[in-house]
Amino acid sequence: MNKVALALLGALTGVLVHGGATHAQASGAGGTASMASTVPAGSRLDEILARGTLRACTTGDYKPYSFYKTDGQFEGIDIDMTESLAKSLGVKAEYVKTSWSNLMNDFVARCDIGVGGVSTTLERQKRAFFTQAYMVDGKTPIVRCDDVNKYQTVAQIDQPATRVIVNPGGTNERFAKQFFAHANLTVYPDNVTIFKQILAGKADVMVTDASETLLQQKLNPGLCSVHPDKPFQYGEKAWLLPRGDVAFQQYVDQWLHLARATGEYQAVTDKWLK
């Protein structure tokens, strides 16, 4: 175990033991049982350190957060940060490729963290913890540049003549089905090539996270993000963690806090977005 992981684990253990001891003193004769219930039986943190690997579920189809390359390797903001987290623990990162529709099931069954531009939702919160949010985001349209003024509002998009395209299984599909009941909606299976459909004139609009639209307009000249600074709704990006595991959540949150405070996270985002 390296010095960073050892120090953080020691601090967390001290907090838990101190809290248990204080409760025990206040409980008198029942203190021993109360203290035992305060300290968790085990944490994924201990398992990861013993196993020597950090297993991360990710879809690999969501630039700039996670992208699965033809050589079988992942890259992106969340991939770089996962490598940083693994290094802080003194372990190796392992990636489990999943899809948005299978993300939660795969995460619960196979992974320690879920990464790659995951939006925080109450539905996901029922099955997992989230880290602190590392990015504020929201849904906004991306269209052909000539059509920017045509698709400024939800009402303008939600018309029978508008061809809305969306990737399946995530918050983009839920947003589209909730707000575009009158539009011609197509669920397109490949989130990597979906933007080419708009360029080719086979669709008119996709509504996705503002951060993704900013990157995709760079990668696809002729496409433009529509008011990314004023998205249709508020959203956050965070990582999935095992539900109920406070010790592991506190470790990851503290690591993320330090990464942001030292400028490491900003350097990684600048690498992919600037």
Side-chain angles (χ1 to χ4, degrees):
M1 188 185 306
N2 65 21
K3 293 181 179 179
V4 174
L6 186 60
L8 284 170
L9 182 57
L12 290 173
T13 303
V15 169
L16 291 171
V17 171
H18 176 74
T22 300
H23 185 70
Q25 292 170 1
S27 301
T32 301
S34 298
M35 179 178 175
S37 66
T38 303
V39 180
S43 169
R44 188 68 60 90
L45 178 60
D46 303 307
E47 294 179 24
I48 293 166
L49 295 173
R51 189 195 314 131
T53 58
L54 174 70
R55 302 169 304 184
C57 276
T58 190
T59 62
D61 65 353
Y62 190 10
K63 294 181 178 180
Y65 302 100
S66 171
F67 181 67
Y68 187 68
K69 301 186 294 181
T70 55
D71 63 2
Q73 300 297 311
F74 289 89
E75 67 177 14
I77 292 172
D78 280 20
I79 304 305
D80 285 352
M81 294 305 292
T82 298
E83 294 292 335
S84 174
L85 175 60
K87 183 179 179 181
S88 82
L89 291 162
V91 301
K92 292 184 178 180
E94 291 184 355
Y95 298 97
V96 177
K97 193 175 188 306
T98 184
S99 64
W100 290 110
S101 56
N102 292 324
L103 172 62
M104 292 307 300
N105 288 336
D106 283 342
F107 165 70
V108 171
R110 306 170 62 189
C111 294
D112 305 309
I113 58 175
V115 306
V118 180
S119 297
T120 60
T121 68
L122 292 177
E123 193 63 30
R124 287 169 175 161
Q125 187 84 50
K126 293 175 183 177
R127 302 184 66 190
F129 273 2
F130 279 105
T131 62
Q132 60 182 265
Y134 62 83
M135 179 177 288
V136 174
D137 213 345
K139 303 300 181 188
T140 205
I142 185 167
V143 302
R144 290 180 294 277
C145 292
D146 291 342
D147 292 338
V148 167
N149 292 330
K150 186 177 179 181
Y151 299 116
Q152 289 282 315
T153 67
V154 168
Q156 287 177 315
I157 296 171
D158 189 26
Q159 299 295 325
T162 305
R163 297 168 300 170
V164 175
I165 193 167
V166 67
N167 60 306
T171 56
N172 288 344
E173 183 181 14
R174 286 195 288 276
F175 184 92
K177 288 184 174 179
Q178 179 179 355
F179 292 103
F180 304 137
H182 301 98
N184 184 354
L185 180 63
T186 297
V187 178
Y188 185 80
D190 186 1
N191 198 38
V192 176
T193 61
I194 193 169
F195 300 95
K196 302 292 186 184
Q197 299 297 302
I198 304 173
L199 271 178
K202 297 179 180 179
D204 301 312
V205 183
M206 180 178 179
V207 173
T208 185
D209 296 316
S211 56
E212 185 177 30
T213 66
L214 290 172
L215 177 66
Q216 290 298 332
Q217 71 178 2
K218 291 183 179 180
L219 299 177
N220 297 281
L223 293 185
C224 285
S225 175
V226 181
H227 52 64
D229 56 331
K230 296 179 180 179
F232 288 145
Q233 43 79 271
Y234 177 82
E236 295 178 338
K237 299 295 184 193
W239 286 5
L240 293 168
L241 299 174
R243 190 179 72 172
D245 195 334
V246 175
F248 186 40
Q249 182 189 41
Q250 288 186 351
Y251 182 93
V252 179
D253 272 346
Q254 179 67 358
W255 162 81
L256 180 57
H257 166 71
L258 294 173
R260 298 176 75 181
T262 61
E264 179 186 4
Y265 173 73
Q266 188 61 52
V268 169
T269 57
D270 287 349
K271 168 187 171 183
W272 291 101
L273 293 178
K274 291 187 177 181

